[in-house]
Amino acid sequence: MKRMLTVIAVLFIGSNVHAQLVYVQGGLNLANITKTNDGHTEKNNILPTFNAGFMGRFGLSKTVDLESGVLLTGRGAKAESYFNGGNDYVKSKFNPLYVEVPLNLVILAPLDKQSGIFFNAGPYIAIGVGGKSKTDSKIGPVTSSSSSSIKFSNDDPFTSQQDDAAYDKLKRFDFGINLGGGFQFEHLLLKVNYGLGLAKINSTESNNTANDKNKYRTLSFSVGIPLGK
């Protein structure tokens, strides 16, 4: 964990050392996981979670820029099954946490001297750092609840084999594409973003192109507050 925190600090410093605009970001994630071959989230429920961190823009021009930073972001999904007329149930919540490093191309359309509309798109990489899985059930008069910490494999992302793989572990590394936009004001940014995961999250699965099952889908609504303004 100490080594991972050092890597995270280096990523943040390196991605923002020349930034012209640095802002703190926080907001709501609506997370889900694909269940079908064509990438739909059938029979999963959205899990509300969060995103928080720092982002920076490099000031390439007034209309085109690059943006990067470091975010702590929640992923996952909820699932609920009811039976016996709805009297009995099994409810599960799966909420892993990742440190994400995005790299976005930003297109800004000014509305006036201090505000504008922007659109962003680009890749991200993410490292799993924690999270919880919880299950609640009721069968007749018997209720039960259990929770466990999410485990990540120590896989080398630069090899094709899945090191330290197990059915109760996730891949530590995720990657995908961000698509979003929002409004930029002098002292505030309002952002919406859709994270399209491209990696299968279970550590035993290596072929990301076979189908689109078992990949993250995360819709985010965030507020950014520029620093030093």
Side-chain angles (χ1 to χ4, degrees):
M1 180 60 71
K2 185 177 181 180
R3 179 182 298 177
M4 184 172 297
L5 292 174
T6 301
V7 171
I8 292 167
V10 170
L11 288 172
F12 173 68
I13 294 170
S15 63
N16 289 287
V17 66
H18 298 299
Q20 300 299 308
L21 168 65
V22 177
Y23 61 93
V24 60
Q25 173 179 313
L28 171 70
N29 285 357
L30 301 178
N32 216 327
I33 300 171
T34 59
K35 293 289 288 183
T36 66
N37 285 338
D38 54 358
H40 289 280
T41 56
E42 188 176 274
K43 296 183 180 179
N44 273 359
N45 295 323
I46 289 172
L47 173 69
T49 178
F50 72 95
N51 66 86
F54 295 89
M55 297 289 289
R57 294 183 183 173
F58 295 87
L60 300 183
S61 74
K62 292 183 179 180
T63 57
V64 179
D65 210 343
L66 287 176
E67 177 181 71
S68 186
V70 174
L71 300 171
L72 179 63
T73 184
R75 309 232 198 270
K78 291 194 300 184
E80 298 180 358
S81 298
Y82 294 88
F83 41 95
N84 190 24
N87 294 318
D88 299 330
Y89 59 80
V90 176
K91 301 178 182 179
S92 62
K93 183 170 71 172
F94 178 69
N95 187 195
L97 297 175
Y98 287 79
V99 172
E100 178 183 324
V101 179
L103 178 62
N104 291 321
L105 175 68
V106 180
I107 306 297
L108 178 64
L111 297 176
D112 55 39
K113 291 183 178 180
Q114 296 182 342
S115 64
I117 300 173
F118 66 87
F119 303 92
N120 64 266
Y124 74 81
I125 58 172
I127 303 171
V129 294
K132 290 285 186 180
S133 178
K134 183 178 180 181
T135 299
D136 296 308
S137 65
K138 177 181 179 297
I139 309 297
V142 180
T143 60
S144 64
S145 180
S146 63
S147 64
S148 61
S149 297
I150 291 174
K151 294 181 286 186
F152 295 93
S153 67
N154 294 311
D155 180 49
D156 181 351
F158 300 105
T159 64
S160 59
Q161 67 187 33
Q162 300 301 312
D163 303 315
D164 190 32
Y167 286 105
D168 62 346
K169 290 182 179 181
L170 302 183
K171 293 179 183 176
R172 186 170 298 277
F173 296 95
D174 179 39
F175 63 91
I177 297 172
N178 283 319
L179 301 168
F183 293 93
Q184 180 174 327
F185 305 98
E186 183 179 10
H187 300 291
L188 188 71
L189 288 88
L190 301 177
K191 304 175 61 178
V192 60
N193 186 80
Y194 186 70
L196 183 73
L198 299 179
K200 290 180 178 292
I201 63 174
N202 191 281
S203 67
T204 61
E205 299 183 50
S206 60
N207 189 345
N208 295 315
T209 60
N211 56 53
D212 280 329
K213 286 183 179 180
N214 201 27
K215 298 179 180 181
Y216 290 124
R217 298 290 185 265
T218 309
L219 178 64
S220 302
F221 300 92
S222 308
V223 174
I225 300 176
L227 302 177
K229 287 198 172 187

